[in-house]
Amino acid sequence: MKDYALMMIGAALVNNVILARFLGLCSFMGVTTRIDAAAGMGLATTFVITVSSMADWAVQHYLLAPYGLGFLRTVTFILVIASAVQFTELTVRKVSPQLFQMLGIYLPLITTNCAVLGIALLLVEGRMSFMTSTLFAFASSVGYSLVMVIFAGQRERLAVAAVPRLFAGPPIGFIVASLLAMAFMGFSGISTG
Amino acid sequence: MTKGISMAATGSSGDTVEGIARVVHTKDGVIWLEPEQTTSCGACAAAGQCGSKGIGSLASRIEARRFVLHGQQDFGVGERIVIGVGAQTLLKGALIAYGLPLASSLIAGGAVQAFGGGDVESMAGAAAGLAVGLLLAGFGARRLSARGELAPRFLRRAQPGESCSGKDEA
């Protein structure tokens, strides 16, 4: 249990998808203008990353590895991720059309989110068991959502702050992002060994 | 008949998240609306061309998100109005739609592994947990809907030039 906890803390905070691995930066800058949008995007991404990582693990271990098709890994994972997004979209629409109308807007954007593919490829390198890889993917996506919401909160405050004209908009956003990355570097002092 | 609101629309004001929608049809006090914003990147309908819209055409996606408002009079086709839902609704909805199935899937998969199951058994457990979670999400969404929390409210008519970013387009 302790091993799982340390692995999840490491994936979420120490090796944060956005601030340490620099994945998912498009959505990090694009969908963080409001906290509610960032939270919606974060939860949708967490769901898709975890579900697609389960499918990717199965595809890797029962199809690609046994038949020596490792060279097809990237394209296969992209297909799996796109299928997972479509599955999620169809399921949410079926479960509740109202929820789909509120939340479905975030799903297409996830298909092109490199964090989803990046985590799937990291799982293959890690050679983990099914539940370990699923928990790793879940923790990584929770770290992604956490940073999205924190950054959205900061940008909401920046929107009403007196920022010098030269820095207004994206420039101050990038400066704040770099400060946030430096703050997260503090987590690298945590011993997970 | 669907009710709902595209939340990735304008902005927030206090406890309400606002969005702009265009009236596409009216009949007997019921109006059909299409949300103006089409992407979650904080941009307007024009950004539907940005390539982030994924599978399916822009038109079909907008049509899929068409919704109705009841008891509204005096609106003409093509008119733009500002609608809103409670600020907590989006988070609550996302937790129900995504959080619940995910939690049940992880718990079921973890429980199977804890009781000595291997990878295949854990995978089957996680899939079963996901299915159960989706069923629970359906119940949760129906409860929210029955309480009227998912229904958008008419707030005001949109100002000329008011855009999905809440600023003048000029």
Side-chain angles (χ1 to χ4, degrees):
Chain A
M1 187 59 85
K2 187 185 169 190
D3 291 342
Y4 281 126
L6 289 175
M7 181 266 291
M8 290 175 76
I9 290 170
L13 300 177
V14 181
N15 296 310
N16 187 271
V17 176
I18 295 175
L19 300 176
R21 298 190 192 276
F22 306 115
L23 295 169
L25 294 178
C26 326
S27 53
F28 177 62
M29 291 305 294
V31 199
T32 49
T33 48
R34 294 200 329 266
I35 288 182
D36 49 12
M41 178 71 178
L43 275 163
T45 308
T46 300
F47 184 83
V48 171
I49 285 178
T50 311
V51 169
S52 64
S53 76
M54 293 179 192
D56 285 334
W57 188 92
V59 168
Q60 169 65 24
H61 283 79
Y62 298 115
L63 182 67
L64 299 181
Y67 295 101
L69 299 173
F71 61 95
L72 289 175
R73 185 177 300 135
T74 305
V75 70
T76 310
F77 282 6
I78 289 171
L79 188 66
V80 170
I81 290 162
S83 306
V85 170
Q86 285 299 299
F87 162 78
T88 309
E89 188 166 338
L90 289 172
T91 309
V92 174
R93 189 187 295 189
K94 182 77 181 166
V95 165
S96 171
Q98 292 99 327
L99 280 180
F100 172 74
Q101 289 187 340
M102 277 202 306
L103 306 166
I105 194 163
Y106 302 108
L107 291 169
L109 209 62
I110 299 172
T111 315
T112 53
N113 190 338
C114 56
V116 187
L117 180 63
I119 290 171
L121 293 173
L122 281 171
L123 293 175
V124 176
E125 285 176 19
R127 298 176 188 280
M128 303 169 187
S129 69
F130 174 76
M131 271 320 288
T132 310
S133 70
T134 302
L135 290 174
F136 179 88
F138 173 69
S140 297
S141 49
V142 166
Y144 168 91
S145 304
L146 180 71
V147 169
M148 292 280 284
V149 172
I150 291 173
F151 190 52
Q154 289 172 329
R155 289 185 78 177
E156 279 197 353
R157 295 188 69 138
L158 281 174
V160 293
V163 178
R165 203 173 161 188
L166 192 63
F167 292 104
I172 191 70
F174 281 114
I175 291 170
V176 170
S178 65
L179 293 174
L180 190 59
M182 281 199 278
F184 265 68
M185 278 175 68
F187 289 118
S188 59
I190 297 175
S191 171
T192 54
Chain B
M1 191 173 288
T2 57
K3 285 187 285 184
I5 180 174
S6 164
M7 295 313 302
T10 64
S12 317
S13 64
D15 294 334
T16 307
V17 181
E18 298 176 4
I20 295 179
R22 190 180 294 273
V23 178
V24 292
H25 184 63
T26 63
K27 192 180 179 185
D28 302 331
V30 179
I31 60 172
W32 278 258
L33 297 154
E34 263 179 17
E36 278 206 343
Q37 190 162 349
T38 59
T39 73
S40 57
C41 61
C44 312
Q49 311 303 321
C50 71
S52 62
K53 58 187 188 289
I55 301 168
S57 71
L58 174 63
S60 67
R61 287 197 169 279
I62 291 179
E63 202 171 306
R65 299 211 324 275
R66 202 174 270 189
F67 60 97
V68 298
L69 276 182
H70 295 274
Q72 302 295 332
Q73 309 284 346
D74 307 329
F75 288 113
V77 173
E79 213 170 333
R80 300 165 76 230
I81 64 170
V82 179
I83 45 178
V85 295
Q88 293 298 315
T89 305
L90 179 68
L91 188 60
K92 218 182 274 185
L95 280 172
I96 287 177
Y98 302 123
L100 201 57
L102 201 53
S104 65
S105 176
L106 290 175
I107 290 169
V112 171
Q113 181 160 331
F115 285 106
D119 284 335
V120 178
E121 290 84 1
S122 299
M123 215 184 315
L130 187 65
V132 171
L134 288 170
L135 283 175
L136 292 174
F139 288 125
R142 274 193 285 278
R143 274 190 66 184
L144 275 185
S145 184
R147 280 189 273 171
E149 288 188 45
L150 297 178
R153 299 188 303 272
F154 167 72
L155 298 179
R156 64 178 188 277
R157 283 184 159 84
Q159 300 293 319
E162 189 174 351
S163 73
C164 59
S165 62
K167 297 168 191 162
D168 286 341
E169 284 168 338

